[in-house]
Short mmCIF file of all heavy atoms in Angstrom, two decimals:
data_model
loop_
_atom_site.label_atom_id
_atom_site.label_comp_id
_atom_site.label_asym_id
_atom_site.label_seq_id
_atom_site.Cartn_x
_atom_site.Cartn_y
_atom_site.Cartn_z
N MET A 1392 0.19 -16.13 -30.39
CA MET A 1392 -0.89 -16.71 -29.59
C MET A 1392 -0.33 -17.26 -28.30
O MET A 1392 0.67 -17.92 -28.29
CB MET A 1392 -1.53 -17.85 -30.36
CG MET A 1392 -2.49 -17.37 -31.41
SD MET A 1392 -3.63 -18.67 -31.80
CE MET A 1392 -3.09 -19.05 -33.43
N SER A 1393 -0.99 -16.99 -27.20
CA SER A 1393 -0.54 -17.57 -25.96
C SER A 1393 -1.74 -17.86 -25.06
O SER A 1393 -2.68 -17.09 -25.00
CB SER A 1393 0.44 -16.64 -25.25
OG SER A 1393 -0.22 -15.51 -24.75
N ASP A 1394 -1.65 -18.97 -24.42
CA ASP A 1394 -2.67 -19.35 -23.45
C ASP A 1394 -2.25 -18.78 -22.10
O ASP A 1394 -1.15 -19.04 -21.63
CB ASP A 1394 -2.70 -20.89 -23.38
CG ASP A 1394 -3.72 -21.38 -22.38
OD1 ASP A 1394 -4.14 -20.60 -21.50
OD2 ASP A 1394 -4.10 -22.56 -22.48
N PRO A 1395 -3.08 -17.97 -21.45
CA PRO A 1395 -2.68 -17.35 -20.18
C PRO A 1395 -2.41 -18.35 -19.07
O PRO A 1395 -1.81 -18.01 -18.06
CB PRO A 1395 -3.86 -16.43 -19.85
CG PRO A 1395 -4.99 -16.90 -20.68
CD PRO A 1395 -4.40 -17.59 -21.89
N SER A 1396 -2.77 -19.59 -19.24
CA SER A 1396 -2.55 -20.57 -18.18
C SER A 1396 -1.35 -21.47 -18.45
O SER A 1396 -1.13 -22.44 -17.76
CB SER A 1396 -3.80 -21.45 -18.02
OG SER A 1396 -3.98 -22.23 -19.19
N ASP A 1397 -0.53 -21.12 -19.47
CA ASP A 1397 0.55 -22.03 -19.84
C ASP A 1397 1.91 -21.68 -19.23
O ASP A 1397 2.95 -22.06 -19.73
CB ASP A 1397 0.67 -22.16 -21.35
CG ASP A 1397 1.19 -20.88 -22.00
OD1 ASP A 1397 1.38 -19.89 -21.26
OD2 ASP A 1397 1.39 -20.88 -23.23
N GLY A 1398 1.94 -20.92 -18.14
CA GLY A 1398 3.19 -20.71 -17.43
C GLY A 1398 3.88 -19.40 -17.75
O GLY A 1398 5.09 -19.31 -17.70
N ASP A 1399 3.13 -18.37 -18.07
CA ASP A 1399 3.74 -17.05 -18.26
C ASP A 1399 4.47 -16.63 -16.99
O ASP A 1399 4.09 -17.00 -15.90
CB ASP A 1399 2.67 -16.00 -18.59
CG ASP A 1399 2.12 -16.17 -20.00
OD1 ASP A 1399 2.74 -16.92 -20.79
OD2 ASP A 1399 1.08 -15.58 -20.28
N ASP A 1400 5.53 -15.82 -17.14
CA ASP A 1400 6.31 -15.36 -15.99
C ASP A 1400 5.42 -14.57 -15.04
O ASP A 1400 4.91 -13.52 -15.40
CB ASP A 1400 7.45 -14.48 -16.50
CG ASP A 1400 8.33 -14.01 -15.37
OD1 ASP A 1400 7.99 -14.23 -14.19
OD2 ASP A 1400 9.38 -13.42 -15.67
N PRO A 1401 5.21 -15.07 -13.83
CA PRO A 1401 4.30 -14.40 -12.90
C PRO A 1401 4.88 -13.13 -12.29
O PRO A 1401 4.18 -12.39 -11.62
CB PRO A 1401 4.05 -15.46 -11.83
CG PRO A 1401 5.30 -16.27 -11.83
CD PRO A 1401 5.77 -16.28 -13.28
N THR A 1402 6.19 -12.87 -12.47
CA THR A 1402 6.79 -11.70 -11.84
C THR A 1402 6.84 -10.51 -12.79
O THR A 1402 7.26 -9.44 -12.39
CB THR A 1402 8.21 -12.01 -11.35
OG1 THR A 1402 9.04 -12.30 -12.46
CG2 THR A 1402 8.22 -13.16 -10.38
N VAL A 1403 6.43 -10.67 -14.02
CA VAL A 1403 6.43 -9.55 -14.95
C VAL A 1403 5.07 -8.88 -14.90
O VAL A 1403 4.06 -9.53 -15.14
CB VAL A 1403 6.74 -10.02 -16.38
CG1 VAL A 1403 6.61 -8.87 -17.36
CG2 VAL A 1403 8.14 -10.61 -16.44
N PRO A 1404 5.03 -7.59 -14.56
CA PRO A 1404 3.73 -6.93 -14.48
C PRO A 1404 3.08 -6.83 -15.84
O PRO A 1404 3.78 -6.68 -16.85
CB PRO A 1404 4.06 -5.55 -13.91
CG PRO A 1404 5.50 -5.34 -14.23
CD PRO A 1404 6.13 -6.70 -14.25
N PRO A 1405 1.77 -6.90 -15.88
CA PRO A 1405 1.08 -6.74 -17.16
C PRO A 1405 1.36 -5.36 -17.75
O PRO A 1405 1.68 -4.42 -17.04
CB PRO A 1405 -0.40 -6.88 -16.78
CG PRO A 1405 -0.41 -7.53 -15.44
CD PRO A 1405 0.87 -7.16 -14.78
N ALA A 1406 1.23 -5.24 -19.04
CA ALA A 1406 1.48 -3.96 -19.71
C ALA A 1406 0.59 -2.87 -19.12
O ALA A 1406 -0.56 -3.11 -18.78
CB ALA A 1406 1.22 -4.11 -21.19
N GLY A 1407 1.16 -1.71 -18.99
CA GLY A 1407 0.38 -0.57 -18.54
C GLY A 1407 0.28 -0.43 -17.04
O GLY A 1407 -0.46 0.40 -16.54
N THR A 1408 1.04 -1.21 -16.28
CA THR A 1408 0.96 -1.12 -14.83
C THR A 1408 2.20 -0.52 -14.22
O THR A 1408 2.46 -0.70 -13.04
CB THR A 1408 0.71 -2.50 -14.21
OG1 THR A 1408 1.76 -3.38 -14.60
CG2 THR A 1408 -0.62 -3.07 -14.64
N GLY A 1409 2.99 0.20 -14.96
CA GLY A 1409 4.14 0.88 -14.37
C GLY A 1409 5.43 0.46 -15.02
O GLY A 1409 5.56 -0.61 -15.60
N ALA A 1410 6.41 1.36 -14.91
CA ALA A 1410 7.70 1.12 -15.54
C ALA A 1410 8.51 0.09 -14.77
O ALA A 1410 8.35 -0.08 -13.57
CB ALA A 1410 8.47 2.42 -15.61
N CYS A 1411 9.39 -0.60 -15.47
CA CYS A 1411 10.28 -1.58 -14.89
C CYS A 1411 11.63 -1.43 -15.56
O CYS A 1411 11.71 -1.36 -16.78
CB CYS A 1411 9.71 -2.98 -15.12
SG CYS A 1411 10.90 -4.31 -14.97
N HIS A 1412 12.71 -1.32 -14.77
CA HIS A 1412 14.03 -1.26 -15.37
C HIS A 1412 15.05 -1.83 -14.42
O HIS A 1412 14.81 -1.96 -13.22
CB HIS A 1412 14.39 0.18 -15.74
CG HIS A 1412 14.67 1.05 -14.55
ND1 HIS A 1412 13.69 1.63 -13.81
CD2 HIS A 1412 15.84 1.41 -13.97
CE1 HIS A 1412 14.23 2.33 -12.82
NE2 HIS A 1412 15.53 2.21 -12.88
N GLU A 1413 16.22 -2.18 -14.96
CA GLU A 1413 17.29 -2.71 -14.13
C GLU A 1413 18.10 -1.54 -13.58
O GLU A 1413 18.63 -0.74 -14.33
CB GLU A 1413 18.18 -3.64 -14.95
CG GLU A 1413 17.44 -4.88 -15.41
CD GLU A 1413 18.38 -5.90 -16.02
OE1 GLU A 1413 19.58 -5.86 -15.70
OE2 GLU A 1413 17.91 -6.73 -16.80
N PRO A 1414 18.20 -1.42 -12.24
CA PRO A 1414 18.92 -0.31 -11.63
C PRO A 1414 20.43 -0.47 -11.76
O PRO A 1414 20.93 -1.59 -11.86
CB PRO A 1414 18.48 -0.38 -10.16
CG PRO A 1414 18.18 -1.82 -9.94
CD PRO A 1414 17.61 -2.32 -11.26
N GLY A 1415 21.13 0.65 -11.74
CA GLY A 1415 22.59 0.61 -11.84
C GLY A 1415 23.26 0.64 -10.49
O GLY A 1415 24.48 0.51 -10.41
N ASP A 1416 22.49 0.79 -9.41
CA ASP A 1416 23.08 0.94 -8.08
C ASP A 1416 22.71 -0.21 -7.16
O ASP A 1416 22.69 -0.06 -5.95
CB ASP A 1416 22.62 2.26 -7.46
CG ASP A 1416 21.11 2.31 -7.25
OD1 ASP A 1416 20.40 1.47 -7.85
OD2 ASP A 1416 20.65 3.17 -6.49
N SER A 1417 22.42 -1.37 -7.72
CA SER A 1417 21.97 -2.49 -6.89
C SER A 1417 23.14 -3.10 -6.12
O SER A 1417 24.27 -3.11 -6.60
CB SER A 1417 21.30 -3.55 -7.76
OG SER A 1417 22.17 -3.95 -8.80
N PRO A 1418 22.88 -3.58 -4.91
CA PRO A 1418 23.93 -4.19 -4.08
C PRO A 1418 24.33 -5.57 -4.60
O PRO A 1418 23.66 -6.14 -5.46
CB PRO A 1418 23.26 -4.30 -2.71
CG PRO A 1418 21.80 -4.45 -3.02
CD PRO A 1418 21.57 -3.60 -4.26
N ASP A 1419 25.46 -6.09 -4.05
CA ASP A 1419 25.94 -7.40 -4.48
C ASP A 1419 25.02 -8.53 -4.00
O ASP A 1419 24.85 -9.53 -4.69
CB ASP A 1419 27.35 -7.66 -3.94
CG ASP A 1419 28.38 -6.76 -4.63
OD1 ASP A 1419 28.11 -6.31 -5.77
OD2 ASP A 1419 29.43 -6.52 -4.03
N ASP A 1420 24.48 -8.34 -2.81
CA ASP A 1420 23.59 -9.35 -2.24
C ASP A 1420 22.23 -8.74 -1.95
O ASP A 1420 22.11 -7.53 -1.73
CB ASP A 1420 24.17 -9.91 -0.94
CG ASP A 1420 25.48 -10.68 -1.18
OD1 ASP A 1420 25.55 -11.44 -2.15
OD2 ASP A 1420 26.41 -10.47 -0.39
N CYS A 1421 21.23 -9.59 -1.91
CA CYS A 1421 19.88 -9.14 -1.62
C CYS A 1421 19.81 -8.57 -0.20
O CYS A 1421 20.20 -9.24 0.75
CB CYS A 1421 18.92 -10.32 -1.76
SG CYS A 1421 17.24 -9.96 -1.25
N PRO A 1422 19.32 -7.32 -0.02
CA PRO A 1422 19.25 -6.73 1.31
C PRO A 1422 18.13 -7.31 2.17
O PRO A 1422 18.08 -7.09 3.37
CB PRO A 1422 18.99 -5.24 1.02
CG PRO A 1422 18.30 -5.24 -0.30
CD PRO A 1422 18.86 -6.42 -1.07
N VAL A 1423 17.26 -8.08 1.57
CA VAL A 1423 16.14 -8.66 2.31
C VAL A 1423 16.56 -9.97 2.98
O VAL A 1423 16.38 -10.18 4.17
CB VAL A 1423 14.93 -8.89 1.39
CG1 VAL A 1423 13.77 -9.50 2.17
CG2 VAL A 1423 14.51 -7.58 0.73
N CYS A 1424 17.16 -10.88 2.20
CA CYS A 1424 17.50 -12.20 2.74
C CYS A 1424 19.01 -12.42 2.82
O CYS A 1424 19.45 -13.38 3.43
CB CYS A 1424 16.84 -13.29 1.91
SG CYS A 1424 17.52 -13.45 0.24
N GLY A 1425 19.82 -11.54 2.20
CA GLY A 1425 21.27 -11.66 2.29
C GLY A 1425 21.90 -12.59 1.28
O GLY A 1425 23.13 -12.70 1.22
N ASP A 1426 21.12 -13.27 0.48
CA ASP A 1426 21.65 -14.17 -0.53
C ASP A 1426 21.99 -13.42 -1.81
O ASP A 1426 21.51 -12.30 -2.05
CB ASP A 1426 20.61 -15.25 -0.88
CG ASP A 1426 20.42 -16.25 0.26
OD1 ASP A 1426 21.22 -16.25 1.20
OD2 ASP A 1426 19.45 -17.03 0.18
N GLY A 1427 22.81 -14.04 -2.65
CA GLY A 1427 23.00 -13.51 -3.99
C GLY A 1427 21.69 -13.66 -4.75
O GLY A 1427 20.80 -14.40 -4.34
N TYR A 1428 21.59 -12.96 -5.87
CA TYR A 1428 20.35 -13.04 -6.63
C TYR A 1428 20.64 -13.16 -8.12
O TYR A 1428 21.75 -12.88 -8.58
CB TYR A 1428 19.47 -11.81 -6.36
CG TYR A 1428 20.17 -10.49 -6.56
CD1 TYR A 1428 20.25 -9.89 -7.80
CD2 TYR A 1428 20.79 -9.86 -5.47
CE1 TYR A 1428 20.90 -8.70 -7.98
CE2 TYR A 1428 21.46 -8.66 -5.64
CZ TYR A 1428 21.51 -8.08 -6.90
OH TYR A 1428 22.17 -6.91 -7.07
N HIS A 1429 19.65 -13.60 -8.84
CA HIS A 1429 19.79 -13.84 -10.28
C HIS A 1429 19.67 -12.54 -11.07
O HIS A 1429 20.43 -12.29 -12.00
CB HIS A 1429 18.72 -14.84 -10.70
CG HIS A 1429 18.67 -15.08 -12.18
ND1 HIS A 1429 19.65 -15.75 -12.85
CD2 HIS A 1429 17.77 -14.70 -13.11
CE1 HIS A 1429 19.34 -15.79 -14.14
NE2 HIS A 1429 18.21 -15.16 -14.33
N SER A 1430 18.70 -11.71 -10.75
CA SER A 1430 18.52 -10.45 -11.45
C SER A 1430 17.75 -9.50 -10.55
O SER A 1430 17.18 -9.91 -9.54
CB SER A 1430 17.77 -10.66 -12.77
OG SER A 1430 16.49 -11.20 -12.53
N VAL A 1431 17.78 -8.21 -10.87
CA VAL A 1431 17.10 -7.20 -10.06
C VAL A 1431 16.43 -6.20 -10.98
O VAL A 1431 16.96 -5.84 -12.03
CB VAL A 1431 18.11 -6.51 -9.10
CG1 VAL A 1431 19.26 -5.90 -9.86
CG2 VAL A 1431 17.43 -5.46 -8.23
N THR A 1432 15.23 -5.75 -10.58
CA THR A 1432 14.51 -4.74 -11.35
C THR A 1432 13.84 -3.77 -10.39
O THR A 1432 13.47 -4.14 -9.28
CB THR A 1432 13.44 -5.36 -12.27
OG1 THR A 1432 12.60 -6.21 -11.51
CG2 THR A 1432 14.07 -6.15 -13.40
N ASP A 1433 13.69 -2.51 -10.82
CA ASP A 1433 12.94 -1.51 -10.07
C ASP A 1433 11.59 -1.29 -10.75
O ASP A 1433 11.52 -1.23 -11.97
CB ASP A 1433 13.69 -0.18 -10.03
CG ASP A 1433 14.82 -0.17 -9.02
OD1 ASP A 1433 14.94 -1.13 -8.25
OD2 ASP A 1433 15.57 0.81 -9.00
N HIS A 1434 10.56 -1.13 -9.94
CA HIS A 1434 9.22 -0.90 -10.47
C HIS A 1434 8.66 0.38 -9.87
O HIS A 1434 8.68 0.55 -8.65
CB HIS A 1434 8.32 -2.09 -10.13
CG HIS A 1434 8.82 -3.39 -10.70
ND1 HIS A 1434 8.33 -3.94 -11.85
CD2 HIS A 1434 9.81 -4.22 -10.27
CE1 HIS A 1434 8.98 -5.07 -12.11
NE2 HIS A 1434 9.89 -5.26 -11.17
N THR A 1435 8.17 1.27 -10.70
CA THR A 1435 7.71 2.57 -10.23
C THR A 1435 6.20 2.73 -10.24
O THR A 1435 5.69 3.75 -9.85
CB THR A 1435 8.32 3.69 -11.09
OG1 THR A 1435 8.00 3.44 -12.45
CG2 THR A 1435 9.84 3.72 -10.92
N GLY A 1436 5.50 1.74 -10.72
CA GLY A 1436 4.05 1.85 -10.75
C GLY A 1436 3.41 0.68 -10.04
O GLY A 1436 4.10 -0.18 -9.50
N GLY A 1437 2.11 0.65 -10.04
CA GLY A 1437 1.41 -0.48 -9.45
C GLY A 1437 1.72 -1.74 -10.21
O GLY A 1437 2.01 -1.71 -11.40
N LEU A 1438 1.71 -2.85 -9.53
CA LEU A 1438 1.99 -4.11 -10.20
C LEU A 1438 1.29 -5.24 -9.48
O LEU A 1438 0.82 -5.09 -8.36
CB LEU A 1438 3.50 -4.36 -10.25
CG LEU A 1438 4.25 -4.19 -8.94
CD1 LEU A 1438 4.35 -5.50 -8.19
CD2 LEU A 1438 5.64 -3.63 -9.19
N MET A 1439 1.21 -6.34 -10.17
CA MET A 1439 0.53 -7.51 -9.64
C MET A 1439 1.54 -8.66 -9.59
O MET A 1439 2.31 -8.85 -10.54
CB MET A 1439 -0.62 -7.88 -10.57
CG MET A 1439 -1.48 -9.01 -10.07
SD MET A 1439 -2.75 -9.43 -11.28
CE MET A 1439 -3.60 -7.86 -11.45
N VAL A 1440 1.56 -9.39 -8.48
CA VAL A 1440 2.49 -10.50 -8.33
C VAL A 1440 1.70 -11.78 -8.09
O VAL A 1440 0.88 -11.85 -7.19
CB VAL A 1440 3.46 -10.26 -7.15
CG1 VAL A 1440 4.37 -11.46 -6.95
CG2 VAL A 1440 4.27 -8.99 -7.38
N ASN A 1441 1.98 -12.77 -8.91
CA ASN A 1441 1.37 -14.07 -8.76
C ASN A 1441 2.36 -14.95 -8.00
O ASN A 1441 3.47 -15.17 -8.47
CB ASN A 1441 1.10 -14.64 -10.17
CG ASN A 1441 0.49 -16.01 -10.11
OD1 ASN A 1441 0.52 -16.68 -9.07
ND2 ASN A 1441 -0.08 -16.45 -11.21
N LEU A 1442 2.00 -15.41 -6.83
CA LEU A 1442 2.93 -16.14 -5.98
C LEU A 1442 2.91 -17.66 -6.20
O LEU A 1442 3.46 -18.39 -5.41
CB LEU A 1442 2.63 -15.83 -4.51
CG LEU A 1442 2.85 -14.37 -4.12
CD1 LEU A 1442 2.49 -14.16 -2.67
CD2 LEU A 1442 4.28 -13.97 -4.36
N GLU A 1443 2.30 -18.10 -7.28
CA GLU A 1443 2.33 -19.53 -7.54
C GLU A 1443 3.73 -19.96 -7.96
O GLU A 1443 4.49 -19.19 -8.55
CB GLU A 1443 1.34 -19.87 -8.67
CG GLU A 1443 -0.09 -19.72 -8.21
CD GLU A 1443 -1.05 -20.23 -9.26
OE1 GLU A 1443 -0.60 -20.88 -10.22
OE2 GLU A 1443 -2.25 -19.99 -9.11
N PRO A 1444 4.12 -21.20 -7.65
CA PRO A 1444 5.45 -21.70 -8.04
C PRO A 1444 5.65 -21.59 -9.55
O PRO A 1444 4.70 -21.75 -10.32
CB PRO A 1444 5.41 -23.17 -7.61
CG PRO A 1444 4.36 -23.24 -6.56
CD PRO A 1444 3.34 -22.19 -6.92
N ASN A 1445 6.89 -21.32 -9.93
CA ASN A 1445 7.20 -21.22 -11.36
C ASN A 1445 8.61 -21.73 -11.59
O ASN A 1445 9.40 -21.89 -10.67
CB ASN A 1445 7.04 -19.78 -11.84
CG ASN A 1445 8.09 -18.86 -11.23
OD1 ASN A 1445 9.16 -18.66 -11.80
ND2 ASN A 1445 7.80 -18.31 -10.05
N GLU A 1446 8.94 -22.00 -12.86
CA GLU A 1446 10.24 -22.59 -13.19
C GLU A 1446 11.35 -21.55 -13.29
O GLU A 1446 12.52 -21.88 -13.27
CB GLU A 1446 10.14 -23.34 -14.52
CG GLU A 1446 9.22 -24.54 -14.44
CD GLU A 1446 9.15 -25.28 -15.76
OE1 GLU A 1446 9.79 -24.83 -16.72
OE2 GLU A 1446 8.45 -26.29 -15.82
N ARG A 1447 10.99 -20.29 -13.40
CA ARG A 1447 12.00 -19.27 -13.66
C ARG A 1447 12.70 -18.79 -12.39
O ARG A 1447 13.90 -18.58 -12.38
CB ARG A 1447 11.34 -18.08 -14.37
CG ARG A 1447 12.35 -17.05 -14.83
CD ARG A 1447 11.71 -16.07 -15.78
NE ARG A 1447 12.65 -15.05 -16.17
CZ ARG A 1447 12.36 -14.04 -16.97
NH1 ARG A 1447 11.15 -13.94 -17.46
NH2 ARG A 1447 13.25 -13.14 -17.26
N PHE A 1448 11.95 -18.59 -11.31
CA PHE A 1448 12.54 -18.09 -10.07
C PHE A 1448 12.07 -18.94 -8.90
O PHE A 1448 10.93 -19.36 -8.84
CB PHE A 1448 12.12 -16.64 -9.80
CG PHE A 1448 12.48 -15.70 -10.91
CD1 PHE A 1448 11.49 -15.08 -11.64
CD2 PHE A 1448 13.80 -15.45 -11.24
CE1 PHE A 1448 11.81 -14.20 -12.66
CE2 PHE A 1448 14.13 -14.58 -12.26
CZ PHE A 1448 13.13 -13.96 -12.97
N ASP A 1449 12.98 -19.13 -7.92
CA ASP A 1449 12.59 -19.80 -6.70
C ASP A 1449 11.77 -18.86 -5.82
O ASP A 1449 10.82 -19.25 -5.17
CB ASP A 1449 13.82 -20.25 -5.91
CG ASP A 1449 14.54 -21.39 -6.61
OD1 ASP A 1449 13.89 -22.14 -7.35
OD2 ASP A 1449 15.75 -21.51 -6.41
N ARG A 1450 12.20 -17.60 -5.77
CA ARG A 1450 11.47 -16.60 -5.00
C ARG A 1450 11.89 -15.22 -5.46
O ARG A 1450 12.88 -15.05 -6.14
CB ARG A 1450 11.75 -16.76 -3.50
CG ARG A 1450 13.15 -16.33 -3.07
CD ARG A 1450 13.32 -16.47 -1.55
NE ARG A 1450 14.61 -15.99 -1.10
CZ ARG A 1450 15.75 -16.68 -1.18
NH1 ARG A 1450 15.74 -17.88 -1.71
NH2 ARG A 1450 16.87 -16.16 -0.75
N VAL A 1451 11.11 -14.23 -5.05
CA VAL A 1451 11.44 -12.83 -5.33
C VAL A 1451 11.30 -12.07 -4.03
O VAL A 1451 10.27 -12.16 -3.35
CB VAL A 1451 10.50 -12.22 -6.40
CG1 VAL A 1451 10.88 -10.76 -6.66
CG2 VAL A 1451 10.55 -13.02 -7.69
N CYS A 1452 12.37 -11.33 -3.62
CA CYS A 1452 12.30 -10.47 -2.45
C CYS A 1452 11.97 -9.05 -2.91
O CYS A 1452 12.41 -8.62 -3.98
CB CYS A 1452 13.65 -10.47 -1.70
SG CYS A 1452 14.08 -12.05 -0.95
N PHE A 1453 11.24 -8.31 -2.10
CA PHE A 1453 10.82 -6.96 -2.45
C PHE A 1453 11.41 -5.97 -1.46
O PHE A 1453 11.34 -6.18 -0.26
CB PHE A 1453 9.29 -6.85 -2.41
CG PHE A 1453 8.59 -7.87 -3.24
CD1 PHE A 1453 8.10 -9.03 -2.68
CD2 PHE A 1453 8.42 -7.68 -4.60
CE1 PHE A 1453 7.45 -9.98 -3.44
CE2 PHE A 1453 7.77 -8.62 -5.38
CZ PHE A 1453 7.29 -9.77 -4.80
N GLN A 1454 12.01 -4.90 -1.97
CA GLN A 1454 12.64 -3.90 -1.11
C GLN A 1454 12.23 -2.51 -1.59
O GLN A 1454 12.48 -2.14 -2.75
CB GLN A 1454 14.17 -4.04 -1.20
CG GLN A 1454 14.95 -2.92 -0.53
CD GLN A 1454 15.17 -3.17 0.96
OE1 GLN A 1454 14.65 -4.12 1.51
NE2 GLN A 1454 15.93 -2.32 1.59
N PRO A 1455 11.58 -1.69 -0.73
CA PRO A 1455 11.28 -0.32 -1.15
C PRO A 1455 12.56 0.49 -1.23
O PRO A 1455 13.46 0.33 -0.39
CB PRO A 1455 10.36 0.21 -0.05
CG PRO A 1455 10.44 -0.75 1.08
CD PRO A 1455 11.11 -2.01 0.61
N VAL A 1456 12.69 1.33 -2.24
CA VAL A 1456 13.87 2.17 -2.38
C VAL A 1456 13.42 3.61 -2.60
O VAL A 1456 12.43 3.88 -3.26
CB VAL A 1456 14.77 1.71 -3.56
CG1 VAL A 1456 15.45 0.39 -3.23
CG2 VAL A 1456 13.99 1.59 -4.84
N GLY A 1457 14.16 4.55 -2.00
CA GLY A 1457 13.81 5.96 -2.12
C GLY A 1457 14.95 6.75 -2.70
O GLY A 1457 15.88 6.20 -3.28
N GLY A 1458 14.89 8.06 -2.53
CA GLY A 1458 15.96 8.93 -2.98
C GLY A 1458 15.81 9.42 -4.39
O GLY A 1458 16.56 10.26 -4.85
N GLY A 1459 14.83 8.94 -5.11
CA GLY A 1459 14.62 9.38 -6.48
C GLY A 1459 13.42 10.31 -6.58
O GLY A 1459 12.94 10.83 -5.59
N ASP A 1460 12.94 10.49 -7.77
CA ASP A 1460 11.81 11.38 -7.99
C ASP A 1460 10.49 10.74 -7.57
O ASP A 1460 9.54 11.42 -7.26
CB ASP A 1460 11.71 11.74 -9.48
CG ASP A 1460 12.89 12.58 -9.93
OD1 ASP A 1460 13.51 13.23 -9.07
OD2 ASP A 1460 13.20 12.56 -11.13
N GLU A 1461 10.46 9.42 -7.58
CA GLU A 1461 9.22 8.74 -7.25
C GLU A 1461 9.53 7.45 -6.50
O GLU A 1461 10.62 6.90 -6.61
CB GLU A 1461 8.45 8.42 -8.53
CG GLU A 1461 9.26 7.63 -9.54
CD GLU A 1461 8.55 7.55 -10.88
OE1 GLU A 1461 7.33 7.73 -10.91
OE2 GLU A 1461 9.22 7.29 -11.88
N PRO A 1462 8.58 6.98 -5.69
CA PRO A 1462 8.82 5.75 -4.93
C PRO A 1462 8.95 4.56 -5.86
O PRO A 1462 8.33 4.49 -6.92
CB PRO A 1462 7.57 5.63 -4.05
CG PRO A 1462 6.52 6.44 -4.74
CD PRO A 1462 7.25 7.55 -5.46
N LYS A 1463 9.79 3.62 -5.43
CA LYS A 1463 10.02 2.44 -6.24
C LYS A 1463 10.03 1.20 -5.35
O LYS A 1463 10.34 1.26 -4.18
CB LYS A 1463 11.39 2.50 -6.95
CG LYS A 1463 11.44 3.52 -8.07
CD LYS A 1463 12.77 3.48 -8.78
CE LYS A 1463 13.81 4.28 -8.03
NZ LYS A 1463 15.03 4.51 -8.81
N ILE A 1464 9.70 0.09 -5.94
CA ILE A 1464 9.87 -1.22 -5.30
C ILE A 1464 10.90 -1.98 -6.12
O ILE A 1464 10.80 -2.09 -7.33
CB ILE A 1464 8.55 -2.03 -5.28
CG1 ILE A 1464 7.50 -1.33 -4.41
CG2 ILE A 1464 8.80 -3.44 -4.77
CD1 ILE A 1464 7.81 -1.34 -2.93
N ARG A 1465 11.94 -2.47 -5.42
CA ARG A 1465 12.99 -3.22 -6.09
C ARG A 1465 12.72 -4.71 -5.93
O ARG A 1465 12.47 -5.18 -4.82
CB ARG A 1465 14.35 -2.83 -5.50
CG ARG A 1465 15.52 -3.49 -6.19
CD ARG A 1465 16.82 -2.75 -5.89
NE ARG A 1465 16.83 -1.45 -6.57
CZ ARG A 1465 17.79 -0.53 -6.38
NH1 ARG A 1465 18.77 -0.76 -5.56
NH2 ARG A 1465 17.74 0.62 -7.02
N PHE A 1466 12.80 -5.44 -7.04
CA PHE A 1466 12.59 -6.89 -7.04
C PHE A 1466 13.94 -7.58 -7.14
O PHE A 1466 14.70 -7.32 -8.07
CB PHE A 1466 11.77 -7.31 -8.27
CG PHE A 1466 10.28 -7.09 -8.16
CD1 PHE A 1466 9.76 -5.98 -7.54
CD2 PHE A 1466 9.42 -8.03 -8.70
CE1 PHE A 1466 8.38 -5.77 -7.47
CE2 PHE A 1466 8.04 -7.84 -8.63
CZ PHE A 1466 7.53 -6.72 -8.02
N PHE A 1467 14.23 -8.49 -6.19
CA PHE A 1467 15.43 -9.33 -6.28
C PHE A 1467 14.97 -10.73 -6.63
O PHE A 1467 14.32 -11.40 -5.83
CB PHE A 1467 16.19 -9.31 -4.95
CG PHE A 1467 16.82 -7.96 -4.66
CD1 PHE A 1467 16.10 -6.98 -3.98
CD2 PHE A 1467 18.11 -7.67 -5.07
CE1 PHE A 1467 16.65 -5.74 -3.72
CE2 PHE A 1467 18.68 -6.44 -4.81
CZ PHE A 1467 17.96 -5.46 -4.13
N HIS A 1468 15.32 -11.17 -7.82
CA HIS A 1468 14.89 -12.49 -8.30
C HIS A 1468 15.92 -13.55 -7.93
O HIS A 1468 17.09 -13.41 -8.28
CB HIS A 1468 14.71 -12.47 -9.81
CG HIS A 1468 13.77 -11.39 -10.29
ND1 HIS A 1468 14.18 -10.31 -11.04
CD2 HIS A 1468 12.45 -11.22 -10.10
CE1 HIS A 1468 13.15 -9.54 -11.29
NE2 HIS A 1468 12.07 -10.05 -10.74
N HIS A 1469 15.48 -14.59 -7.25
CA HIS A 1469 16.37 -15.69 -6.87
C HIS A 1469 16.02 -16.96 -7.64
O HIS A 1469 14.88 -17.15 -8.00
CB HIS A 1469 16.24 -15.99 -5.38
CG HIS A 1469 16.70 -14.86 -4.51
ND1 HIS A 1469 18.02 -14.59 -4.24
CD2 HIS A 1469 15.99 -13.90 -3.86
CE1 HIS A 1469 18.11 -13.53 -3.44
NE2 HIS A 1469 16.90 -13.08 -3.19
ZN1 ZN B 2930 16.34 -12.10 -1.24
#
């Protein structure tokens, strides 16, 4: 049981909105802001981002990445 208003991770897309995985070719530092980051994930489908403050991440930078079979958005979690 979970209450949707009790602080669920706002950066995790709801089920059924596209694949998410940790890439093996991520850079050492975030290419958007230049800082180190906590974790990185690639997303290949539509997703929803809730920008309200949360305890898990200070911010998330978004970087489009190409070169694969399908377009992706890379999330750098700080
Ligand atoms: Zn960043």
Side-chain angles (χ1 to χ4, degrees):
M1392 281 202 249
S1393 71
D1394 179 341
S1396 66
D1397 70 356
D1399 288 347
D1400 182 352
T1402 65
V1403 175
T1408 58
C1411 160
H1412 72 278
E1413 295 189 24
D1416 63 344
S1417 55
D1419 290 337
D1420 295 317
C1421 173
V1423 180
C1424 69
D1426 289 348
Y1428 52 86
H1429 175 70
S1430 61
V1431 57
T1432 52
D1433 281 353
H1434 300 261
T1435 56
L1438 49 92
M1439 185 183 302
V1440 177
N1441 179 344
L1442 296 178
E1443 290 188 12
N1445 67 91
E1446 294 181 358
R1447 187 167 177 182
F1448 303 115
D1449 290 333
R1450 72 178 184 280
V1451 180
C1452 294
F1453 306 97
Q1454 171 86 354
V1456 290
D1460 294 336
E1461 55 190 339
K1463 288 184 278 192
I1464 295 291
R1465 184 161 290 173
F1466 280 39
F1467 292 89
H1468 305 113
H1469 295 281

